[in-house]
């Protein structure tokens, strides 16, 4: 087979045609692909974190160390014992 060489003159490019450009990528992964994957991974991570905290909310150590530091949830996990019960 003959060896292919670049054209001596660049092909004509019309100023009225579409403006094509090469998108930067590494191993076929572009910046847009990374952003989309990061957003999806963040959403799955948020749901997983919520599920872990929801299932572990009955553990007293989790209540004291994590859940009581959240401003709106702290009132729910405070256990006050009435003085007459002592």
């Amino acid at each position: 087979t003959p060896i292919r060489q670049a054209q001596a003159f660049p092909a004509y490019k019309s100023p009225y045609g579409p403006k094509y450009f090469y998108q930067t990528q590494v191993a076929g992964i572009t910046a847009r692909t990374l952003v989309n994957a990061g957003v999806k991974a963040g959403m799955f991570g948020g749901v997983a974190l919520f599920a872990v905290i929801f299932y572990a909310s009955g553990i007293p150590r989790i209540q004291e160390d994590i859940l009581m530091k959240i401003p709106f949830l702290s009132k729910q996990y405070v256990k006050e014992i009435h003085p007459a019960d002592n």
Side-chain angles (χ1 to χ4, degrees):
T1 61
I3 298 174
R4 292 185 174 201
Q5 293 181 348
Q7 294 178 354
F9 300 102
Y12 174 73
K13 191 170 184 180
S14 172
Y16 304 107
K19 307 290 190 249
Y20 293 118
F21 62 94
Y22 292 104
Q23 191 172 15
T24 56
Q25 50 92 14
V26 175
I29 300 172
T30 63
R32 185 175 187 172
T33 305
L34 283 176
V35 168
N36 285 341
V39 168
K40 290 177 185 175
M43 288 191 294
F44 276 108
V47 170
L49 177 65
F50 174 77
V52 166
I53 289 178
F54 178 74
Y55 288 126
S57 65
I59 301 171
R61 181 74 180 208
I62 301 289
Q63 290 176 357
E64 294 170 5
D65 292 345
I66 298 172
L67 298 175
M68 287 182 124
K69 295 181 180 176
I70 299 174
F72 298 105
L73 291 179
S74 62
K75 296 174 188 171
Q76 183 177 358
Y77 294 105
V78 172
K79 294 182 181 177
E80 296 179 4
I81 299 173
H82 195 270
D85 291 340
N86 280 336

